[in-house]
Amino acid sequence: MNCVAKDTLLATDLCGIKMKTPILTGSGTFGFGEEFADFVNLSSIGGVVVKGTTLKPRRGNDGVRITETPAGMLNCIGLENPGVEVFLKETLPRIRQYDMNVIVNISGSSVEDYGLLAEKLDATDIAAIEVNISCPNVKEGGIVFGTDPKAAAAVTRAVKSHTGKPVIVKLSPNVTDIVCMAKAVEDAGADAISLINTLLGMQIDIRTWAPVLGNITGGLSGPCVKPVAVRMVWQVAQAVHVPIIGMGGIMSAEDAVEFFLAGASAVAIGTANFTDPSCITKISDELAAYLAAHRLENIHDLIGKIKIPQKEA
């Protein structure tokens, strides 16, 4: 397949962001992009969602932070990052050379934190802000923003009021009603929704009888979560009008196609980057080949085209 054909098939627009492909990198799995420059042409992918950024530097959790599980992995990195000031002064100027769409994932421990982060990032040339609401609200007794629709909406409004950038809210799957959460952030002004974040999991060492992870529990990702992620994308796609970025266990173009059929406008690759640092390019090529084989003119012809059997009366 020639490059022109591939560009035509995969080119898309997400919240006003011109993207060469509908494939992004998952936050926390691709560093700041520069770490993968030897494996991927960064300017050729849809965009890089950089690792989670906080107001102050964070050293992350102590002890074991990552462990493999059947068909996946658990992690409890603890949002290790140099802080927003270092990102703005050192990291962002350095990664501009790659001519890529930079989307900054932000995390906070209060509604005010999120607003301040959005304000600091607003004056930059980043493409968008992704809001990680899978964080505890220290001012409200530790309740996770992403499990309370009112708290999630409050964070969304705070970010929207401090930036003119597109705001993508990343939803946690650790809820009873994902549609309720999606509607709450959409009503609060979210320009797009990404889902899913990791599922809460745990692993115990049967030799020592102790938790494997230093933080006891961690986020489960990888192929094992894909059916849950596809289901949630499908549910949310039927309930909201903003674009959805689907993620969770995508290891191949075939996996990505499921998310598009379920209603995602774009997808993000996460855990697969650890198994093959060039996988995002391969998945893009295979996705273009799939579209061509099915005589589709553009990725938009695939979005939401799931065929649900009609029930007999």
Side-chain angles (χ1 to χ4, degrees):
M1 179 182 302
N2 62 57
C3 293
V4 175
K6 178 184 175 182
D7 290 347
T8 301
L9 289 163
L10 298 181
T12 190
D13 182 303
L14 183 72
C15 302
I17 307 167
K18 301 295 182 184
M19 303 196 309
K20 294 179 180 178
T21 81
I23 302 179
L24 307 163
T25 64
S27 176
T29 68
F30 210 75
F32 293 106
E34 58 189 345
E35 297 89 338
F36 285 73
D38 290 340
F39 306 98
V40 177
N41 177 1
L42 297 172
S43 67
S44 70
I45 61 180
V48 172
V49 185
V50 301
K51 66 186 305 180
T53 299
T54 53
L55 278 175
K56 302 295 183 182
R58 289 179 61 107
R59 64 186 297 269
N61 291 321
D62 294 326
V64 175
R65 298 185 183 190
I66 295 179
T67 182
E68 286 191 61
T69 64
M73 61 178 275
L74 282 165
N75 90 85
C76 62
I77 303 301
L79 297 174
E80 178 187 352
N81 77 100
V84 68
E85 297 300 337
V86 171
F87 174 77
L88 292 173
K89 293 177 182 177
E90 300 179 14
T91 310
L92 184 58
R94 193 171 64 241
I95 63 178
R96 281 196 181 104
Q97 65 177 297
Y98 298 109
D99 188 30
M100 61 186 179
N101 287 318
V102 175
I103 298 173
V104 180
N105 177 288
I106 62 172
S107 297
S109 56
S110 69
V111 172
E112 292 77 13
D113 283 357
Y114 285 98
L116 285 171
L117 281 161
E119 185 175 12
K120 289 177 179 294
L121 292 164
D122 186 56
T124 69
D125 57 356
I126 66 169
I129 294 173
E130 182 182 65
V131 185
N132 176 12
I133 56 174
S134 299
C135 302
N137 183 350
V138 295
K139 289 188 176 182
E140 299 294 336
I143 186 171
V144 175
F145 288 108
T147 61
D148 180 345
K150 291 183 178 179
V155 169
T156 304
R157 284 192 292 269
V159 174
K160 284 291 294 182
S161 67
H162 286 85
T163 184
K165 304 288 185 185
V167 173
I168 304 163
V169 179
K170 188 170 188 177
L171 299 185
S172 167
N174 302 306
V175 295
T176 303
D177 189 346
I178 193 68
V179 171
C180 175
M181 298 301 304
K183 286 183 174 179
V185 299
E186 180 186 40
D187 290 345
D191 298 293
I193 292 170
S194 59
L195 71 155
I196 60 173
N197 208 331
T198 55
L199 287 156
L200 189 62
M202 180 178 178
Q203 188 176 61
I204 300 172
D205 188 329
I206 62 172
R207 296 165 299 180
T208 64
W209 300 6
V212 172
L213 294 176
N215 199 51
I216 302 179
T217 62
L220 178 66
S221 62
C224 56
V225 309
K226 193 191 78 175
V228 176
V230 172
R231 183 263 295 179
M232 288 190 168
V233 167
W234 174 67
Q235 288 180 309
V236 170
Q238 296 178 86
V240 303
H241 299 93
V242 296
I244 295 170
I245 304 170
M247 65 192 74
I250 299 175
M251 306 294 286
S252 66
E254 288 80 4
D255 292 334
V257 168
E258 287 191 55
F259 281 87
F260 288 116
L261 289 171
S265 295
V267 297
I269 310 299
T271 301
N273 292 310
F274 296 114
T275 63
D276 179 358
S278 64
C279 70
I280 195 165
T281 299
K282 296 174 183 177
I283 292 173
S284 294
D285 290 343
E286 292 169 2
L287 179 59
Y290 177 92
L291 295 174
H294 287 77
R295 303 192 178 190
L296 302 177
E297 295 183 0
N298 182 265
I299 188 64
H300 293 93
D301 297 330
L302 193 64
I303 296 170
K305 295 301 169 58
I306 182 174
K307 297 180 179 179
I308 304 293
Q310 296 296 316
K311 294 182 179 180
E312 294 183 7

